[in-house]
Amino acid sequence: MYAQMIKSEATQDDPEKLAAFQARIDAGEKIEPKDWMPEGYRKTLIRQIGQHAHSEIVGQLPEGNWITRAPTLERKAILLAKVQDEAGHGLYLYCAAETLGVSRDEITEMLLDGRMKYSSIFNYPTLNWADIGAVGWLVDGAAIMNQVPLQRTSFGPYSRAMIRICKEESFHQRQGYDAIRKMAEGTPEQKKMAQDALNRLWYPSLMMFGPSDKDSVHSAQSMAWKIKMNTNDELRQKFVDQTVPQAEYLGLTIPDPDLKWNEERGHYDYTDPDWSEFFEVIKGNGPCNVDRLAARNKAWDDGAWVRDGLLAHAKKKATRQHAAE
Amino acid sequence: MKNEWPLWEIFIRGQHGMSHRHVGSLHAPDAEMAIKNARDVYTRRNEGVSIWVVEANHISASSPSDKGPLYEPSESKVYRHPTFFDIPEEVGAM
């Protein structure tokens, strides 16, 4: 998902404390920053929340790419509001991560030098306006699948960030579906663009949930700690089941010839994405990895004088005020 | 780290809210910018009509391990609630 392949850290704590901690989680209690927690829980969460936050921030790039070229003023205002929300979501999550003892600068620098990842999906380009509709519909739709259960996660600040985010996320998916519906119901050429966007973004969207359960080695500990609420395949199946009828309504075809309803299972059978492509993108070899990181590094470097200048001004003002008192 | 903006805790009072409620935190160089940033981060959908900001290191919090000694004493004092007392119906509303 926005946090893919999070490795759970091994934990070497006092077994008695560990058991009491697990009992609190099993009883549905929230863990708060000042509470005792296993080192592995803390480290895994920093990595997971950090990756989630980075995804929100990097996720602004493919959409920001189309703000100035939105087809109408209204679409432009909507997209601007949506991208601004993503910045807010990143901030809520960074603050949640900071309660675990990592500083904002540390976590930012880990993204910038590649020690931390963001979701694979944002390494794909948005080539035209139809892609913006498809991103809202599919990518935000997939994100919601994961974020709704995470509202019940065991770590209080993470859970509260998720609740805020989920309140805002539905707007994102609906505006995307609305944009692509306009194209699917438009001229034959526009409809072709909508279909093309679905063709290109379908499998990358399925990859957002992370590798298949049989290759996902870190799930058990994270699920016991309630920082992962469902398996990757469970969420992926749920996403497919939800999205197929939405595509049908648009008169668009999911680019999977083997997709069909399985009466017995009560779910759609579908083809898994090409996992070798997924692992290449994770390794840094996707179409936009280099561009995305370069853009984030440039923003950080170009903003340095503003951060330093405002801090220097604030300090000067405080000193002056102090002297006057 | 070296030049990081301080962390501020943000409190918002909603349209019909009786008091300011903690909504989250953010980084800002000073109080004025913290309020400006809080307006962008925490009131994009009419969530508030008033913002308070407090630098996070000025907040002292009770410790989770003191939960027992701090709050258990009030559990046995049910008579502090008005429903503890039966008032005869004939007396009317009280």
Side-chain angles (χ1 to χ4, degrees):
Chain A
M1 175 40 43
Y2 274 20
Q4 294 155 324
M5 301 184 67
I6 300 298
K7 187 170 171 290
S8 337
E9 294 276 346
T11 250
Q12 289 170 321
D13 293 287
D14 176 4
E16 214 167 284
K17 277 186 167 174
L18 273 181
F21 179 79
Q22 190 60 49
R24 288 190 62 196
I25 290 182
D26 294 343
E29 275 184 49
K30 291 279 180 253
I31 308 300
E32 295 297 335
K34 285 177 131 189
D35 295 347
W36 183 86
M37 62 184 80
E39 206 38 35
Y41 178 83
R42 199 181 66 82
K43 282 193 185 153
T44 308
L45 264 180
I46 289 178
R47 197 174 305 149
Q48 177 173 335
I49 301 174
Q51 195 181 113
H52 196 156
H54 297 326
S55 300
E56 301 283 355
I57 298 299
V58 176
Q60 295 179 101
L61 296 170
E63 292 185 293
N65 183 31
W66 280 90
I67 290 174
T68 56
R69 294 172 287 171
T72 67
L73 187 57
E74 188 183 54
R75 293 280 177 202
K76 179 175 177 167
I78 291 169
L79 185 58
L80 199 56
K82 198 252 183 203
V83 173
Q84 192 191 13
D85 273 357
E86 306 297 2
H89 295 180
L91 294 180
Y92 307 155
L93 287 160
Y94 281 133
C95 287
E98 282 172 81
T99 65
L100 291 159
V102 65
S103 84
R104 178 72 64 88
D105 281 4
E106 272 165 11
I107 205 167
T108 304
E109 279 159 10
M110 284 196 271
L111 166 70
L112 297 179
D113 65 21
R115 273 176 294 161
M116 283 180 89
K117 305 268 181 233
Y118 52 89
S119 175
S120 56
I121 187 71
F122 302 118
N123 290 312
Y124 290 86
T126 44
L127 302 177
N128 57 48
W129 179 254
D131 288 10
I132 297 301
V135 164
W137 170 34
L138 301 172
V139 176
D140 289 273
I144 292 171
M145 284 281 132
N146 184 54
Q147 288 169 340
V148 166
L150 274 176
Q151 291 178 103
R152 293 179 283 111
T153 188
S154 62
F155 186 56
Y158 192 25
S159 159
R160 291 190 284 274
M162 278 300 127
I163 290 169
R164 284 193 78 83
I165 288 174
C166 285
K167 266 191 206 155
E168 299 175 346
E169 200 77 70
S170 163
F171 148 57
H172 297 179
Q173 192 188 13
R174 292 174 74 136
Q175 66 84 32
Y177 193 72
D178 186 66
I180 202 159
R181 182 159 77 98
K182 194 85 183 169
M183 297 194 74
E185 291 170 355
T187 63
E189 206 189 348
Q190 286 171 326
K191 184 165 182 182
K192 222 171 115 190
M193 282 175 74
Q195 180 64 54
D196 168 62
L198 175 58
N199 291 349
R200 281 180 292 105
L201 286 163
W202 174 252
Y203 286 106
S205 299
L206 294 189
M207 290 178 200
M208 288 176 68
F209 299 95
S212 162
D213 290 350
K214 54 184 190 297
D215 302 317
S216 180
V217 285
H218 309 300
S219 287
Q221 179 62 78
S222 288
M223 288 181 86
W225 278 336
K226 290 192 189 161
I227 58 182
K228 186 181 174 103
M229 311 300 285
N230 306 85
T231 73
N232 297 348
D233 285 338
E234 269 168 33
L235 290 173
R236 192 167 12 248
Q237 180 72 63
K238 216 170 155 198
F239 174 73
V240 171
D241 292 347
Q242 172 190 285
T243 309
V244 171
Q246 294 169 350
E248 275 167 6
Y249 179 86
L250 298 174
L252 300 180
T253 310
I254 305 277
D256 177 357
D258 295 328
L259 182 101
K260 62 171 189 305
W261 179 252
N262 183 325
E263 193 66 55
E264 208 175 299
R265 290 201 309 129
H267 293 291
Y268 283 95
D269 291 336
Y270 63 93
T271 308
D272 258 345
D274 173 359
W275 292 118
S276 61
E277 177 181 322
F278 170 75
F279 288 111
E280 278 304 306
V281 174
I282 290 278
K283 263 193 276 173
N285 302 324
C288 300
N289 297 58
V290 174
D291 283 359
R292 300 297 186 230
L293 267 191
R296 287 314 305 150
N297 272 287
K298 184 175 186 310
W300 180 250
D301 294 341
D302 289 356
W305 71 273
V306 180
R307 294 193 299 276
D308 292 347
L310 284 173
L311 193 63
H313 175 70
K315 279 184 180 156
K316 204 162 83 181
K317 226 172 40 177
T319 318
R320 232 183 259 150
Q321 205 173 1
H322 203 68
E325 274 162 11
Chain B
M1 265 185 286
K2 54 267 158 190
N3 249 348
E4 197 169 285
W5 287 351
L7 190 69
W8 299 76
E9 298 300 332
I10 311 302
F11 300 80
I12 306 259
R13 181 162 57 78
Q15 202 108 47
H16 306 290
M18 301 283 281
S19 56
H20 288 73
R21 282 186 55 193
H22 183 244
V23 292
S25 44
L26 52 77
H27 288 270
D30 57 25
E32 192 188 336
M33 282 298 293
I35 290 177
K36 286 194 171 126
N37 289 350
R39 176 249 183 208
D40 286 341
V41 179
Y42 292 109
T43 67
R44 289 196 302 282
R45 289 177 176 78
N46 281 326
E47 288 93 336
V49 292
S50 171
I51 299 173
W52 286 356
V53 300
V54 184
E55 218 183 304
N57 61 18
H58 290 156
I59 291 186
S60 309
S62 62
S63 158
S65 56
D66 290 343
K67 222 156 77 181
L70 285 179
Y71 312 115
E72 263 162 28
S74 77
E75 280 172 21
S76 57
K77 298 174 181 59
V78 282
Y79 45 80
R80 283 183 169 160
H81 297 278
T83 45
F84 179 76
F85 305 93
D86 285 329
I87 303 293
E89 223 164 277
E90 300 89 300
V91 177
M94 182 180 283

